[in-house]
Amino acid sequence: QQQVKQSPQSLIVQKGGIPIINCAYENTAFDYFPWYQQFPGKGPALLIAIRPDVSEKKEGRFTISFNKSAKQFSLHIMDSQPGDSATYFCAASIRTGFQKLVFGTGTRLLVSP
Amino acid sequence: DAGVTQSPTHLIKTRGQQVTLRCSPISGHKSVSWYQQVLGQGPQFIFQYYEKEERGRGNFPDRFSARQFPNYSSELNVNALLLGDSALYLCASSYSGTFSGNTIYFGEGSWLTVV
């Protein structure tokens, strides 16, 4: 029940394409859903986060879509660029609990020029 | 401002040895968390400390321990190292102890190889 399932494991898109990464969770106590971007040799960096009381959130080229009834959420990257090539992790936590993030298994994104 | 700093960046240890990893949070941050990231997987939560007290612990054996000092820096200790402890150990800091209105910031990690 503590798992967050992420797919696909890897993704290749052309520059300008819109990669979509999907995550699903079981624990209905989760109420904080961040996405992290990780470049090789670096720590994860927060991209965007959403709470279950909204269905969509946009920050720049990154959009989270949230389906509370299905317990699923996804990341869309608009107008993807080669510099977006990285590993993306979804995560979940309880906002008012201690800061334990449960991460998905990651998606390696390659944006070809 | 400096971000989350971790040391050492890389180290190699032998099975059975002990290791200490260090973390300095962002200035003003009072919470430090530790995560283990095995190659090809997402980070796994080990500990959170806030105001020098343990607030949460993940599903890791007692060989793993940590502490937070009065200046909010932290150490992660792993005893009796196993080959499976080889991983990137990430430290994260935030101002307060929950996610309510808070972001956690990760350091670049300490790569531990156990041979």
Side-chain angles (χ1 to χ4, degrees):
Chain A
Q1 202 180 22
Q2 285 292 313
Q3 283 186 322
V4 176
K5 296 181 179 180
Q6 183 172 348
S7 63
Q9 187 175 5
S10 62
L11 191 53
I12 301 174
V13 299
Q14 289 192 331
K15 178 182 174 182
I18 306 176
I20 301 173
I21 304 170
N22 301 298
C23 286
Y25 64 99
E26 289 295 324
N27 188 349
T28 55
F30 287 149
D31 62 356
Y32 174 70
F33 302 90
W35 284 89
Y36 284 85
Q37 179 189 56
Q38 187 175 28
F39 292 103
K42 302 292 186 181
L46 178 67
L47 272 177
I48 184 173
I50 197 168
R51 290 166 52 180
D53 52 349
V54 298
S55 60
E56 185 176 276
K57 184 175 181 180
K58 294 182 180 181
E59 285 189 7
R61 295 184 294 108
F62 300 95
T63 299
I64 300 179
S65 299
F66 192 89
N67 185 330
K68 186 175 181 179
S69 60
K71 291 183 284 186
Q72 295 176 348
F73 57 111
S74 60
L75 176 71
H76 297 62
I77 306 175
M78 307 302 175
D79 187 28
S80 59
Q81 301 296 313
D84 296 330
S85 298
T87 299
Y88 293 81
F89 293 96
C90 61
S93 184
I94 299 171
R95 199 167 50 88
T96 56
F98 62 90
Q99 286 179 342
K100 175 183 176 181
L101 283 169
V102 178
F103 281 88
T105 50
T107 296
R108 293 187 68 178
L109 172 65
L110 177 63
V111 182
S112 59
Chain B
D1 283 342
V4 179
T5 57
Q6 294 186 241
S7 64
T9 54
H10 295 81
L11 69 166
I12 300 173
K13 291 286 188 177
T14 304
R15 277 179 299 176
Q17 285 188 318
Q18 175 262 344
V19 67
T20 298
L21 307 178
R22 296 175 176 82
C23 173
S24 292
I26 293 171
S27 178
H29 284 193
K30 302 178 181 179
S31 171
V32 169
S33 300
W34 288 95
Y35 287 78
Q36 180 196 63
Q37 186 175 18
V38 173
L39 198 63
Q41 297 183 19
Q44 296 285 320
F45 174 80
I46 308 176
F47 287 110
Q48 185 204 5
Y49 277 76
Y50 177 65
E51 288 282 18
K52 292 153 282 184
E53 292 189 359
E54 182 182 305
R55 288 208 75 216
R57 183 184 184 116
N59 188 24
F60 280 80
D62 291 343
R63 299 185 296 108
F64 289 77
S65 63
R67 55 180 176 169
Q68 187 176 33
F69 298 99
N71 67 352
Y72 302 109
S73 67
S74 178
E75 287 183 351
L76 175 70
N77 294 285
V78 187
N79 294 321
L81 285 167
L82 304 174
L83 295 180
D85 295 331
S86 297
L88 176 67
Y89 288 86
L90 294 162
C91 176
S93 82
S94 72
Y95 176 73
S96 80
T98 71
F99 284 114
S100 293
N102 280 285
T103 298
I104 67 169
Y105 298 87
F106 283 89
E108 296 192 348
S110 294
W111 282 101
L112 171 64
T113 301
V114 182
V115 297

